[in-house]
Amino acid sequence: DGSEMVEVGNYINANYAEPNPEMLGIAEGRNIIAVSLESLQSFVINEEMNGHVITPFLNELTNDPDTFYFSNFYHQTGLGKTSDSEFILENSLYPRNGAAVFFTHSGNTYDSLSNKLGENGYHTSVMHANNKSFWNRDIMYDALNIEKFYDVASYEIGEGDAVNWGMKDIPFVKQSADLMLDIPQPFYTRLITLTNHYPFDLDEEDMLIPQYDSNSRTLNKYFQSVRYMDEAIKVLFEDLKEKGLYDNSIIVMYGDHYGISENHNKAMGMYLDKEITPFDNAKLQRVPLFIHIPGYGKGEKIDTVSGQLDIRPTLLHLMGIETKGDMQLGKDIFSPDYEPFVIFRDGRFVTENYIYTTDVCYDTNTGEPAEEQAECDQYLKRAMDELDYSDMIINGDLLRFMTEPENLENEMK
Ligand code: GP9
Ligand code: MN
Protein backbone atom coordinates (compact mmCIF):
# COMPACT_ATOMS: atom_id res chain seq x y z
CA ASP A 1 0.00 0.00 0.00
CA GLY A 2 0.95 3.65 0.15
CA SER A 3 2.87 3.41 3.42
CA GLU A 4 5.01 0.59 2.01
CA MET A 5 5.77 2.87 -0.89
CA VAL A 6 7.01 5.56 1.48
CA GLU A 7 9.14 3.09 3.46
CA VAL A 8 10.72 1.58 0.36
CA GLY A 9 11.16 5.02 -1.18
CA ASN A 10 13.07 6.21 1.88
CA TYR A 11 15.35 3.19 1.75
CA ILE A 12 16.06 3.69 -1.93
CA ASN A 13 16.76 7.41 -1.55
CA ALA A 14 19.11 6.76 1.35
CA ASN A 15 21.03 4.23 -0.75
CA TYR A 16 21.24 6.27 -3.95
CA ALA A 17 24.75 6.34 -5.45
CA GLU A 18 25.55 9.44 -7.49
CA PRO A 19 27.04 9.06 -10.93
CA ASN A 20 30.76 9.55 -11.31
CA PRO A 21 31.10 12.88 -13.17
CA GLU A 22 33.96 11.47 -15.24
CA MET A 23 31.79 8.61 -16.49
CA LEU A 24 28.40 10.27 -16.75
CA GLY A 25 27.33 10.40 -20.39
CA ILE A 26 30.51 8.93 -21.94
CA ALA A 27 28.32 6.82 -24.26
CA GLU A 28 25.52 9.34 -24.67
CA GLY A 29 23.44 8.96 -27.83
CA ARG A 30 24.98 5.68 -28.92
CA ASN A 31 22.97 2.58 -29.76
CA ILE A 32 23.01 -0.03 -27.03
CA ILE A 33 23.55 -3.65 -28.02
CA ALA A 34 23.21 -5.93 -25.00
CA VAL A 35 24.07 -9.60 -25.27
CA SER A 36 22.92 -12.22 -22.80
CA LEU A 37 25.59 -14.91 -22.77
CA GLU A 38 23.76 -18.15 -22.03
CA SER A 39 25.10 -20.04 -18.98
CA LEU A 40 28.50 -18.34 -19.17
CA GLN A 41 30.46 -18.38 -15.91
CA SER A 42 33.66 -16.49 -15.21
CA PHE A 43 35.77 -19.49 -14.33
CA VAL A 44 36.49 -20.13 -18.05
CA ILE A 45 37.69 -16.59 -18.83
CA ASN A 46 41.46 -16.27 -19.36
CA GLU A 47 41.84 -19.97 -18.57
CA GLU A 48 42.68 -23.11 -20.49
CA MET A 49 41.22 -26.62 -20.52
CA ASN A 50 43.86 -29.31 -21.15
CA GLY A 51 45.96 -26.73 -23.00
CA HIS A 52 43.10 -25.29 -25.07
CA VAL A 53 42.09 -21.65 -24.75
CA ILE A 54 38.35 -21.64 -24.00
CA THR A 55 37.34 -18.04 -24.80
CA PRO A 56 40.01 -16.52 -27.07
CA PHE A 57 37.88 -13.58 -28.25
CA LEU A 58 36.51 -12.65 -24.84
CA ASN A 59 40.01 -12.98 -23.37
CA GLU A 60 41.23 -10.36 -25.82
CA LEU A 61 38.41 -8.07 -24.70
CA THR A 62 39.51 -8.34 -21.07
CA ASN A 63 42.68 -6.50 -22.11
CA ASP A 64 41.10 -4.19 -24.67
CA PRO A 65 41.38 -0.42 -24.13
CA ASP A 66 37.76 0.09 -25.24
CA THR A 67 36.42 -2.42 -22.73
CA PHE A 68 35.57 -2.53 -19.07
CA TYR A 69 35.77 -6.12 -17.90
CA PHE A 70 34.27 -6.90 -14.48
CA SER A 71 35.95 -9.97 -13.04
CA ASN A 72 34.14 -10.06 -9.67
CA PHE A 73 30.63 -9.76 -10.99
CA TYR A 74 27.85 -12.09 -9.78
CA HIS A 75 24.54 -13.28 -11.20
CA GLN A 76 21.56 -12.77 -8.89
CA THR A 77 19.02 -15.03 -10.55
CA GLY A 78 16.69 -17.65 -9.05
CA LEU A 79 14.47 -20.32 -10.58
CA GLY A 80 13.52 -18.05 -13.49
CA LYS A 81 17.04 -18.43 -14.96
CA THR A 82 17.38 -16.39 -18.19
CA SER A 83 14.10 -14.61 -17.55
CA ASP A 84 15.26 -13.61 -14.05
CA SER A 85 18.43 -12.12 -15.53
CA GLU A 86 16.29 -10.13 -17.95
CA PHE A 87 14.08 -8.96 -15.10
CA ILE A 88 17.12 -7.85 -13.10
CA LEU A 89 18.77 -6.06 -16.01
CA GLU A 90 15.58 -4.18 -16.88
CA ASN A 91 14.40 -3.30 -13.37
CA SER A 92 17.37 -3.51 -11.00
CA LEU A 93 15.13 -5.46 -8.62
CA TYR A 94 15.51 -9.00 -7.29
CA PRO A 95 13.53 -11.72 -8.98
CA ARG A 96 11.17 -13.74 -6.79
CA ASN A 97 12.07 -16.58 -4.52
CA GLY A 98 10.71 -19.94 -5.62
CA ALA A 99 8.84 -18.74 -8.71
CA ALA A 100 9.62 -17.00 -11.99
CA VAL A 101 8.57 -13.36 -11.75
CA PHE A 102 8.05 -13.33 -15.54
CA PHE A 103 5.08 -15.62 -14.91
CA THR A 104 3.82 -14.34 -11.60
CA HIS A 105 4.02 -10.54 -12.06
CA SER A 106 3.65 -9.78 -15.74
CA GLY A 107 0.67 -7.54 -14.97
CA ASN A 108 2.67 -5.08 -12.87
CA THR A 109 3.79 -1.58 -13.76
CA TYR A 110 7.56 -1.33 -14.24
CA ASP A 111 10.03 1.46 -14.89
CA SER A 112 12.31 -0.76 -16.94
CA LEU A 113 15.54 0.13 -18.66
CA SER A 114 13.60 -0.12 -21.91
CA ASN A 115 10.91 2.18 -20.59
CA LYS A 116 13.48 4.73 -19.49
CA LEU A 117 15.42 4.56 -22.76
CA GLY A 118 12.15 4.79 -24.69
CA GLU A 119 11.41 8.05 -22.87
CA ASN A 120 14.81 9.24 -24.01
CA GLY A 121 14.15 8.65 -27.70
CA TYR A 122 15.37 5.06 -28.02
CA HIS A 123 13.74 2.28 -30.04
CA THR A 124 13.76 -0.79 -27.83
CA SER A 125 13.71 -4.47 -28.73
CA VAL A 126 14.78 -7.98 -27.83
CA MET A 127 16.14 -10.52 -30.29
CA HIS A 128 15.84 -14.20 -29.41
CA ALA A 129 15.21 -17.13 -31.77
CA ASN A 130 12.74 -18.99 -29.57
CA ASN A 131 8.95 -19.09 -29.35
CA LYS A 132 7.70 -15.75 -28.14
CA SER A 133 5.72 -17.22 -25.25
CA PHE A 134 8.67 -19.09 -23.69
CA TRP A 135 9.08 -17.74 -20.13
CA ASN A 136 5.93 -15.68 -20.83
CA ARG A 137 8.16 -13.20 -22.61
CA ASP A 138 5.56 -11.83 -25.00
CA ILE A 139 3.36 -10.75 -22.08
CA MET A 140 6.16 -9.54 -19.80
CA TYR A 141 7.83 -7.55 -22.59
CA ASP A 142 4.64 -5.50 -22.92
CA ALA A 143 4.74 -4.77 -19.19
CA LEU A 144 8.42 -3.78 -19.56
CA ASN A 145 7.52 -1.47 -22.45
CA ILE A 146 9.81 -3.24 -24.89
CA GLU A 147 8.68 -1.98 -28.28
CA LYS A 148 9.44 -5.01 -30.42
CA PHE A 149 10.29 -8.68 -29.87
CA TYR A 150 12.15 -10.32 -32.74
CA ASP A 151 11.26 -13.89 -31.81
CA VAL A 152 11.84 -17.10 -33.78
CA ALA A 153 9.42 -15.92 -36.48
CA SER A 154 11.89 -13.15 -37.41
CA TYR A 155 14.63 -15.64 -38.24
CA GLU A 156 15.27 -17.99 -41.12
CA ILE A 157 16.59 -21.24 -39.81
CA GLY A 158 18.15 -23.03 -42.78
CA GLU A 159 19.51 -26.53 -42.92
CA GLY A 160 22.29 -27.05 -40.38
CA ASP A 161 21.40 -23.81 -38.58
CA ALA A 162 19.87 -25.49 -35.53
CA VAL A 163 21.26 -27.62 -32.72
CA ASN A 164 20.41 -28.32 -29.09
CA TRP A 165 17.62 -25.88 -28.10
CA GLY A 166 17.19 -24.27 -31.51
CA MET A 167 18.92 -21.80 -33.79
CA LYS A 168 22.70 -21.80 -33.46
CA ASP A 169 24.32 -18.65 -32.13
CA ILE A 170 26.41 -17.89 -35.24
CA PRO A 171 23.54 -17.69 -37.73
CA PHE A 172 21.52 -16.00 -34.95
CA VAL A 173 23.97 -13.12 -34.44
CA LYS A 174 24.41 -12.65 -38.20
CA GLN A 175 20.69 -12.36 -38.83
CA SER A 176 20.31 -10.18 -35.73
CA ALA A 177 22.87 -7.71 -37.09
CA ASP A 178 20.83 -7.66 -40.32
CA LEU A 179 17.66 -6.92 -38.38
CA MET A 180 19.39 -4.03 -36.59
CA LEU A 181 19.93 -2.29 -39.92
CA ASP A 182 16.19 -1.74 -40.15
CA ILE A 183 15.73 -0.22 -36.70
CA PRO A 184 15.75 3.57 -36.51
CA GLN A 185 18.62 4.88 -34.35
CA PRO A 186 19.31 5.31 -31.56
CA PHE A 187 18.19 1.84 -30.53
CA TYR A 188 18.56 -0.45 -27.57
CA THR A 189 18.39 -4.10 -28.51
CA ARG A 190 19.12 -7.15 -26.41
CA LEU A 191 20.28 -10.39 -27.99
CA ILE A 192 19.65 -13.60 -26.06
CA THR A 193 22.01 -16.38 -27.13
CA LEU A 194 20.93 -19.99 -26.78
CA THR A 195 23.45 -22.58 -27.96
CA ASN A 196 25.46 -22.72 -24.72
CA HIS A 197 22.55 -24.22 -22.81
CA TYR A 198 22.38 -27.53 -20.98
CA PRO A 199 22.92 -30.26 -22.29
CA PHE A 200 25.56 -28.33 -24.33
CA ASP A 201 25.18 -30.37 -27.52
CA LEU A 202 26.94 -29.21 -30.69
CA ASP A 203 27.26 -30.35 -34.29
CA GLU A 204 30.62 -31.87 -35.13
CA GLU A 205 31.68 -28.90 -37.28
CA ASP A 206 31.17 -26.49 -34.37
CA MET A 207 33.42 -28.38 -31.98
CA LEU A 208 36.42 -26.07 -32.04
CA ILE A 209 38.19 -27.67 -29.07
CA PRO A 210 37.93 -31.19 -27.63
CA GLN A 211 35.80 -32.13 -24.65
CA TYR A 212 37.10 -32.30 -21.11
CA ASP A 213 37.75 -35.70 -19.53
CA SER A 214 36.06 -35.70 -16.11
CA ASN A 215 33.26 -37.94 -14.84
CA SER A 216 30.69 -35.26 -15.77
CA ARG A 217 29.51 -35.35 -19.37
CA THR A 218 27.90 -31.98 -18.73
CA LEU A 219 31.11 -30.24 -17.68
CA ASN A 220 33.04 -32.06 -20.43
CA LYS A 221 30.77 -30.62 -23.12
CA TYR A 222 30.50 -27.21 -21.45
CA PHE A 223 34.01 -26.06 -22.40
CA GLN A 224 33.46 -26.97 -26.04
CA SER A 225 30.10 -25.26 -26.12
CA VAL A 226 31.50 -22.11 -24.47
CA ARG A 227 34.23 -22.07 -27.10
CA TYR A 228 31.51 -22.01 -29.78
CA MET A 229 29.75 -19.10 -28.08
CA ASP A 230 33.03 -17.17 -28.00
CA GLU A 231 33.25 -17.65 -31.76
CA ALA A 232 29.71 -16.34 -32.16
CA ILE A 233 30.59 -13.16 -30.27
CA LYS A 234 33.58 -12.64 -32.51
CA VAL A 235 31.31 -13.00 -35.55
CA LEU A 236 28.87 -10.51 -34.04
CA PHE A 237 31.62 -7.89 -33.64
CA GLU A 238 32.82 -8.48 -37.22
CA ASP A 239 29.29 -8.16 -38.59
CA LEU A 240 28.56 -4.99 -36.65
CA LYS A 241 31.74 -3.45 -38.07
CA GLU A 242 30.89 -4.59 -41.59
CA LYS A 243 27.40 -3.11 -41.33
CA GLY A 244 28.56 0.23 -39.94
CA LEU A 245 26.78 -0.36 -36.63
CA TYR A 246 29.88 -0.75 -34.47
CA ASP A 247 31.40 2.71 -34.01
CA ASN A 248 28.24 4.38 -32.79
CA SER A 249 27.21 1.66 -30.35
CA ILE A 250 28.02 0.42 -26.88
CA ILE A 251 28.06 -3.34 -26.45
CA VAL A 252 27.15 -4.75 -23.03
CA MET A 253 27.58 -8.49 -22.54
CA TYR A 254 26.85 -10.50 -19.41
CA GLY A 255 26.51 -14.12 -18.31
CA ASP A 256 22.88 -14.78 -17.45
CA HIS A 257 23.38 -17.43 -14.69
CA TYR A 258 25.48 -20.47 -13.89
CA GLY A 259 25.71 -23.33 -16.38
CA ILE A 260 27.31 -25.94 -14.12
CA SER A 261 25.36 -26.76 -10.98
CA GLU A 262 26.65 -28.07 -7.66
CA ASN A 263 25.79 -31.58 -8.83
CA HIS A 264 29.06 -31.43 -10.76
CA ASN A 265 31.24 -30.38 -7.83
CA LYS A 266 33.43 -33.43 -8.15
CA ALA A 267 34.26 -32.80 -11.81
CA MET A 268 34.61 -29.08 -11.15
CA GLY A 269 37.01 -29.89 -8.34
CA MET A 270 39.09 -31.92 -10.77
CA TYR A 271 39.22 -29.01 -13.21
CA LEU A 272 40.01 -26.40 -10.55
CA ASP A 273 42.31 -28.81 -8.75
CA LYS A 274 40.73 -28.36 -5.33
CA GLU A 275 37.85 -29.62 -3.27
CA ILE A 276 34.78 -27.47 -3.86
CA THR A 277 33.40 -25.99 -0.62
CA PRO A 278 30.27 -23.86 -0.14
CA PHE A 279 32.65 -20.88 -0.30
CA ASP A 280 33.83 -21.99 -3.76
CA ASN A 281 30.27 -22.64 -4.88
CA ALA A 282 29.39 -19.04 -4.04
CA LYS A 283 32.45 -17.77 -5.93
CA LEU A 284 31.44 -19.91 -8.89
CA GLN A 285 28.34 -17.73 -9.22
CA ARG A 286 30.55 -15.15 -10.90
CA VAL A 287 29.56 -14.42 -14.49
CA PRO A 288 31.43 -12.10 -16.82
CA LEU A 289 30.32 -8.54 -17.55
CA PHE A 290 31.84 -6.62 -20.46
CA ILE A 291 31.05 -3.02 -21.32
CA HIS A 292 32.65 -2.30 -24.68
CA ILE A 293 32.71 1.30 -25.95
CA PRO A 294 34.36 1.52 -29.39
CA GLY A 295 36.95 4.30 -29.51
CA TYR A 296 36.81 5.02 -25.79
CA GLY A 297 40.40 4.00 -25.04
CA LYS A 298 40.30 4.17 -21.24
CA GLY A 299 38.82 0.77 -20.44
CA GLU A 300 40.06 -1.22 -17.45
CA LYS A 301 39.75 -4.52 -15.68
CA ILE A 302 37.55 -3.89 -12.68
CA ASP A 303 37.66 -6.32 -9.77
CA THR A 304 35.04 -4.59 -7.62
CA VAL A 305 32.49 -7.00 -6.14
CA SER A 306 29.33 -6.20 -8.11
CA GLY A 307 26.22 -7.86 -9.49
CA GLN A 308 23.53 -7.92 -12.15
CA LEU A 309 21.28 -5.46 -10.33
CA ASP A 310 23.98 -2.85 -10.87
CA ILE A 311 23.76 -2.97 -14.67
CA ARG A 312 20.70 -0.72 -15.04
CA PRO A 313 22.03 2.27 -13.05
CA THR A 314 25.59 1.83 -14.38
CA LEU A 315 24.47 1.75 -18.00
CA LEU A 316 21.95 4.57 -17.73
CA HIS A 317 24.60 6.84 -16.22
CA LEU A 318 27.04 5.98 -19.01
CA MET A 319 24.28 7.04 -21.42
CA GLY A 320 23.95 10.33 -19.56
CA ILE A 321 20.53 9.47 -18.12
CA GLU A 322 20.03 10.19 -14.41
CA THR A 323 18.40 7.63 -12.12
CA LYS A 324 17.83 9.59 -8.92
CA GLY A 325 14.39 8.70 -7.56
CA ASP A 326 14.13 5.51 -9.62
CA MET A 327 12.82 2.49 -7.71
CA GLN A 328 15.95 0.43 -8.25
CA LEU A 329 18.05 -1.53 -5.76
CA GLY A 330 21.33 -1.76 -7.69
CA LYS A 331 24.02 0.91 -7.81
CA ASP A 332 26.24 2.47 -10.46
CA ILE A 333 29.51 0.51 -10.15
CA PHE A 334 31.50 3.58 -11.24
CA SER A 335 29.94 5.77 -8.55
CA PRO A 336 32.26 7.08 -5.82
CA ASP A 337 29.49 5.96 -3.40
CA TYR A 338 29.42 2.40 -4.74
CA GLU A 339 29.50 -0.22 -1.99
CA PRO A 340 30.76 -3.69 -2.88
CA PHE A 341 27.96 -5.84 -1.47
CA VAL A 342 26.15 -8.38 -3.63
CA ILE A 343 23.12 -10.25 -2.35
CA PHE A 344 22.04 -13.47 -4.03
CA ARG A 345 18.35 -14.25 -4.40
CA ASP A 346 18.71 -17.17 -1.98
CA GLY A 347 20.16 -14.97 0.79
CA ARG A 348 23.84 -15.70 0.33
CA PHE A 349 25.96 -12.56 -0.02
CA VAL A 350 29.42 -11.35 -0.95
CA THR A 351 31.30 -8.30 0.34
CA GLU A 352 34.93 -7.33 -0.12
CA ASN A 353 35.94 -9.29 2.97
CA TYR A 354 33.24 -11.90 3.54
CA ILE A 355 31.14 -14.46 1.78
CA TYR A 356 28.10 -15.65 3.67
CA THR A 357 26.74 -19.04 2.69
CA THR A 358 25.22 -22.11 4.40
CA ASP A 359 24.96 -20.03 7.62
CA VAL A 360 28.73 -19.55 7.74
CA CYS A 361 30.62 -16.28 7.42
CA TYR A 362 33.71 -17.00 5.29
CA ASP A 363 36.80 -14.83 5.05
CA THR A 364 37.26 -14.06 1.32
CA ASN A 365 41.03 -13.99 1.62
CA THR A 366 41.49 -17.40 3.19
CA GLY A 367 38.31 -19.15 2.05
CA GLU A 368 37.99 -20.38 5.65
CA PRO A 369 35.24 -19.55 8.16
CA ALA A 370 35.98 -16.10 9.62
CA GLU A 371 37.31 -15.97 13.17
CA GLU A 372 34.63 -13.49 14.14
CA GLN A 373 31.42 -15.00 12.78
CA ALA A 374 29.55 -11.89 13.99
CA GLU A 375 31.33 -9.82 11.32
CA CYS A 376 28.63 -10.92 8.87
CA ASP A 377 25.70 -10.00 11.11
CA GLN A 378 25.17 -6.39 10.01
CA TYR A 379 25.29 -7.45 6.36
CA LEU A 380 22.96 -10.36 6.98
CA LYS A 381 20.34 -8.03 8.40
CA ARG A 382 20.70 -5.67 5.46
CA ALA A 383 20.55 -8.51 2.94
CA MET A 384 17.26 -9.74 4.43
CA ASP A 385 15.85 -6.20 4.47
CA GLU A 386 16.81 -5.54 0.89
CA LEU A 387 15.26 -8.76 -0.39
CA ASP A 388 12.12 -7.87 1.59
CA TYR A 389 11.96 -4.40 0.03
CA SER A 390 12.29 -5.89 -3.41
CA ASP A 391 9.49 -8.37 -2.71
CA MET A 392 7.38 -5.52 -1.34
CA ILE A 393 7.82 -3.55 -4.57
CA ILE A 394 6.88 -6.53 -6.71
CA ASN A 395 4.12 -8.03 -4.58
CA GLY A 396 2.54 -4.62 -3.92
CA ASP A 397 3.00 -3.46 -7.54
CA LEU A 398 4.43 -0.29 -6.02
CA LEU A 399 5.74 1.16 -9.26
CA ARG A 400 2.18 2.02 -10.28
CA PHE A 401 2.47 4.83 -7.74
CA MET A 402 5.34 6.33 -9.70
CA THR A 403 3.45 6.60 -12.97
CA GLU A 404 0.21 7.65 -11.25
CA PRO A 405 1.19 9.63 -8.16
CA GLU A 406 -2.48 10.45 -7.56
CA ASN A 407 -2.95 6.78 -6.61
CA LEU A 408 -0.48 7.27 -3.81
CA GLU A 409 -2.12 10.49 -2.63
CA ASN A 410 -5.49 8.77 -2.56
CA GLU A 411 -4.13 5.81 -0.61
CA MET A 412 -2.42 8.07 1.90
CA LYS A 413 -5.61 10.03 2.67
C1 GP9 B 1 15.08 -19.96 -23.59
C2 GP9 B 1 16.37 -19.47 -23.09
C3 GP9 B 1 16.97 -20.41 -22.08
O1 GP9 B 1 14.38 -19.06 -24.39
O2 GP9 B 1 16.26 -18.19 -22.61
O3 GP9 B 1 16.32 -20.31 -20.87
P1 GP9 B 1 16.94 -20.81 -19.49
O4 GP9 B 1 16.63 -22.27 -19.35
O5 GP9 B 1 18.41 -20.58 -19.49
O6 GP9 B 1 16.23 -19.99 -18.49
MN1 MN C 1 19.80 -19.03 -19.56
Side-chain angles (χ1 to χ4, degrees):
D1 60 8
S3 63
E4 279 184 335
M5 174 68 193
V6 172
E7 189 186 343
V8 177
N10 286 342
Y11 176 80
I12 286 174
N13 285 338
N15 282 283
Y16 169 71
E18 288 200 350
N20 179 337
E22 276 174 33
M23 303 301 289
L24 184 66
I26 61 167
E28 193 169 335
R30 292 183 187 235
N31 304 311
I32 303 170
I33 300 167
V35 185
S36 162
L37 303 165
E38 178 58 45
S39 300
L40 188 64
Q41 292 175 240
S42 299
F43 76 88
V44 295
I45 305 289
N46 287 324
E47 297 294 343
E48 294 185 355
M49 181 278 299
N50 289 344
H52 300 277
V53 178
I54 309 156
T55 55
F57 184 71
L58 294 177
N59 293 353
E60 252 176 62
L61 285 185
T62 66
N63 291 311
D64 176 272
D66 291 344
T67 305
F68 290 100
Y69 169 60
F70 299 81
S71 58
N72 248 327
F73 181 83
Y74 288 82
H75 84 81
Q76 294 170 292
T77 62
L79 292 180
K81 309 301 288 285
T82 309
S83 69
D84 277 358
S85 73
E86 297 182 65
F87 183 83
I88 297 169
L89 173 84
E90 288 285 342
N91 301 308
S92 189
L93 296 172
Y94 295 85
R96 286 188 76 223
N97 206 9
V101 63
F102 260 45
F103 280 109
T104 59
H105 289 81
S106 58
N108 274 16
T109 298
Y110 293 103
D111 183 18
S112 64
L113 180 62
S114 292
N115 187 56
K116 191 105 174 167
L117 289 166
E119 285 170 354
N120 283 274
Y122 276 75
H123 291 274
T124 61
S125 58
V126 170
M127 300 187 176
H128 183 46
N130 200 352
N131 296 326
K132 65 177 189 218
S133 61
F134 198 93
W135 280 128
N136 204 33
R137 283 187 175 108
D138 51 344
I139 310 292
M140 188 53 139
Y141 286 180
D142 282 342
L144 296 174
N145 252 326
I146 294 168
E147 224 177 282
K148 168 111 182 118
F149 182 13
Y150 298 92
D151 64 17
V152 68
S154 301
Y155 292 85
E156 249 176 71
I157 308 180
E159 208 181 313
D161 281 351
V163 73
N164 203 12
W165 274 50
M167 191 177 192
K168 293 182 187 177
D169 286 347
I170 291 180
F172 165 69
V173 300
K174 284 175 168 252
Q175 289 185 34
S176 297
D178 272 334
L179 290 168
M180 286 179 215
L181 284 174
D182 290 332
I183 313 177
Q185 301 190 21
F187 61 76
Y188 158 47
T189 193
R190 180 152 53 77
L191 277 60
I192 305 177
T193 63
L194 189 57
T195 307
N196 189 47
H197 191 291
Y198 178 83
F200 308 113
D201 285 331
L202 291 179
D203 283 336
E204 190 89 34
E205 77 236 37
D206 300 317
M207 299 177 172
L208 306 174
I209 57 171
Q211 295 188 0
Y212 187 48
D213 51 2
S214 73
N215 71 349
S216 159
R217 271 175 54 78
T218 301
L219 182 65
N220 296 353
K221 290 192 282 179
Y222 182 73
F223 294 100
Q224 201 172 48
S225 167
V226 167
R227 175 66 187 81
Y228 173 78
M229 176 186 314
D230 182 84
E231 198 67 18
I233 301 305
K234 182 174 147 191
V235 170
L236 173 64
F237 274 59
E238 285 166 2
D239 270 42
L240 293 174
K241 285 180 187 166
E242 213 172 277
K243 295 189 157 59
L245 290 164
Y246 175 77
D247 289 321
N248 194 32
S249 297
I250 167 171
I251 303 166
V252 180
M253 305 191 286
Y254 61 96
D256 61 349
H257 50 73
Y258 68 79
I260 304 298
S261 75
E262 296 180 12
N263 297 334
H264 305 275
N265 271 356
K266 199 160 167 237
M268 187 65 96
M270 172 177 160
Y271 175 68
L272 297 175
D273 201 16
K274 67 199 297 263
E275 199 185 319
I276 306 295
T277 65
F279 171 84
D280 297 309
N281 275 324
K283 285 208 107 172
L284 281 166
Q285 304 314 307
R286 281 180 296 182
V287 296
L289 169 66
F290 296 90
I291 300 181
H292 179 77
I293 313 173
Y296 175 62
K298 288 184 277 182
E300 284 171 71
K301 264 191 209 160
I302 296 184
D303 63 2
T304 309
V305 170
S306 48
Q308 285 172 332
L309 267 87
D310 301 323
I311 297 178
R312 181 191 188 276
T314 304
L315 181 59
L316 282 169
H317 290 168
L318 293 178
M319 307 315 290
I321 300 170
E322 303 271 355
T323 65
K324 188 158 175 63
D326 288 6
M327 295 278 279
Q328 61 186 3
L329 291 168
K331 293 192 177 85
D332 178 349
I333 310 171
F334 295 113
S335 166
D337 305 331
Y338 184 81
E339 184 192 13
F341 179 28
V342 175
I343 303 160
F344 297 2
R345 176 61 263 192
D346 60 15
R348 287 181 282 177
F349 61 79
V350 181
T351 73
E352 253 176 347
N353 300 315
Y354 304 104
I355 291 186
Y356 183 82
T357 173
T358 54
D359 300 326
V360 177
C361 183
Y362 285 89
D363 183 321
T364 47
N365 294 318
T366 63
E368 298 294 326
E371 270 172 41
E372 281 303 329
Q373 283 294 302
E375 295 281 348
C376 277
D377 288 358
Q378 55 142 326
Y379 293 108
L380 183 58
K381 161 108 182 53
R382 284 173 58 198
M384 294 301 121
D385 284 349
E386 189 159 313
L387 290 168
D388 281 350
Y389 284 132
S390 187
D391 289 343
M392 250 187 230
I393 294 172
I394 296 165
N395 295 335
D397 190 11
L398 297 188
L399 280 147
R400 74 201 140 101
F401 296 128
M402 303 291 286
T403 43
E404 295 150 71
E406 63 277 7
N407 289 349
L408 180 59
E409 280 157 36
N410 288 337
E411 290 224 19
M412 297 298 280
K413 269 180 201 152

